[in-house]
């Protein structure tokens, strides 16, 4: 497994085009591999995420089973004459160090959805959670199976509600709408999804399960920049 970071040059038309279309950015990421990665089941897969640190600092993170070659992205959306167009590091040594009860800061961009239907005869429909509280509940329901627990703060909740207060912030909610071209009949159809980012602190419950989460992703819409969780030392 490899972890890659690439900074997009937002002054370039190519970068703005990619950032405006999850479908185009997905295609650009997948073009980083000579052979299209074969994803099966819940095993490791190509995951990507865009982080906007500041107005002019936009970073693309990619986790992948194979080492990528981002030359085309540098030419289209980076700084072609600069050295070190992207940074790729082996991910396995970091994953191997994860241990139960370790505490880490985390960032996750995800597509929090649930399935609903108005009556028993109606097929279920996938619907996005639209409030921060429901978006947080979506993550809390998945944390144990994903191998971690979000750290709980001591003391009363500042919002006055019942239940524990978790060390996590839900932000950067975005409604995405774009056109996706079908591989079977070459027709384009509309895709809409909600994408949100979670920043917080977690405690490792099950290192193996957390490794699967970090390499296979969490939730839906992984092809469109959702599902990638990264860890950093907790302060």
């Amino acid at each position: 497994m490899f972890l890659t970071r690439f900074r997009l040059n937002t002054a370039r038309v190519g970068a703005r085009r990619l950032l405006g279309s999850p479908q185009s950015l997905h295609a650009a990421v997948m073009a980083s591999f000579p052979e299209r990665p074969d994803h099966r089941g819940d095993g490791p897969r190509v995951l990507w995420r865009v982080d906007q640190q500041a107005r002019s600092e936009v970073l693309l993170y990619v986790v992948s089973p194979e080492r990528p070659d981002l030359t085309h992205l540098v030419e289209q959306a980076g700084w072609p004459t600069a050295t070190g167009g992207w940074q790729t590091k082996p991910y396995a040594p970091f994953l191997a160090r994860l241990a139960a009860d370790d505490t880490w800061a985390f960032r996750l961009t995800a597509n929090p959805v649930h399935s609903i239907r108005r009556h028993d005869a109606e097929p279920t429909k996938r619907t996005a959670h639209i409030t921060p509280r429901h978006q947080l509940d979506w993550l809390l329901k998945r944390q144990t199976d994903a191998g971690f627990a979000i750290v709980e703060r001591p003391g009363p909740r500042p919002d006055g509600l019942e239940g524990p207060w978790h060390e996590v912030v839900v932000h950067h909610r975005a409604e995405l709408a774009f056109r996706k071209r079908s591989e079977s009949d070459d027709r384009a159809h509309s895709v809409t999804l909600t994408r949100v980012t979670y920043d917080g602190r977690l405690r490792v419950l099950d290192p193996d399960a957390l490794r699967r989460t970090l390499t296979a992703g969490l939730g839906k819409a992984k092809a469109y920049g959702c599902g990638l969780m990264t860890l950093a030392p907790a302060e």
Side-chain angles (χ1 to χ4, degrees), residues 95-139:
L95 296 173
R97 292 198 301 269
L98 295 176
D101 293 324
D102 284 351
T103 301
W104 295 91
F106 75 90
R107 173 168 288 182
L108 166 70
T109 293
N111 171 226
V113 296
H114 61 131
S115 296
I116 62 171
R117 59 184 176 186
R118 291 170 296 183
H119 50 78
D120 292 343
E122 184 181 62
T124 58
K125 179 182 179 181
R126 189 179 297 170
T127 305
H129 289 297
I130 59 174
T131 67
R133 183 174 182 182
H134 287 120
Q135 290 164 352
L136 175 57
D137 286 343
W138 175 91
L139 181 58

Side-chain angles (χ1 to χ4, degrees), residues 14-155:
R16 296 196 296 271
R17 179 183 62 82
L18 291 173
L19 291 171
S21 170
Q23 175 71 6
S24 296
L25 189 47
H26 167 68
V29 169
M30 299 306 288
S32 303
F33 306 95
E35 297 183 6
R36 187 176 181 87
D38 182 17
H39 168 65
R40 297 180 181 178
D42 60 353
R45 60 178 295 159
V46 176
L47 302 167
W48 62 271
R49 185 183 78 215
V50 172
D51 287 0
Q52 184 160 358
Q53 308 294 97
R55 184 182 180 91
S56 61
E57 186 177 5
V58 180
L59 302 174
L60 170 67
Y61 288 92
V62 179
V63 166
S64 57
E66 305 295 333
R67 182 183 289 272
D69 182 344
L70 271 58
T71 302
H72 63 297
L73 278 174
V74 174
E75 294 172 347
Q76 297 172 27
W79 286 267
T81 61
T83 58
W86 70 91
Q87 300 82 42
T88 296
K89 296 182 179 180
Y91 206 23
F94 171 78
L95 296 173
R97 292 198 301 269
L98 295 176
D101 293 324
D102 284 351
T103 301
W104 295 91
F106 75 90
R107 173 168 288 182
L108 166 70
T109 293
N111 171 226
V113 296
H114 61 131
S115 296
I116 62 171
R117 59 184 176 186
R118 291 170 296 183
H119 50 78
D120 292 343
E122 184 181 62
T124 58
K125 179 182 179 181
R126 189 179 297 170
T127 305
H129 289 297
I130 59 174
T131 67
R133 183 174 182 182
H134 287 120
Q135 290 164 352
L136 175 57
D137 286 343
W138 175 91
L139 181 58
L140 294 176
K141 290 176 180 178
R142 287 157 178 79
Q143 60 179 344
T144 302
D145 290 342
F148 65 90
I150 297 176
V151 175
E152 296 181 8
R153 296 179 183 179

Side-chain angles (χ1 to χ4, degrees), residues 42 108 137-150 202-219 229:
D42 60 353
L108 166 70
D137 286 343
W138 175 91
L139 181 58
L140 294 176
K141 290 176 180 178
R142 287 157 178 79
Q143 60 179 344
T144 302
D145 290 342
F148 65 90
I150 297 176
L202 61 78
R203 180 171 57 88
V204 181
L205 298 179
D206 182 338
D208 288 335
L210 182 55
R211 291 184 192 104
R212 287 193 297 271
T213 299
L214 296 175
T215 57
L218 185 62
M229 172 183 280

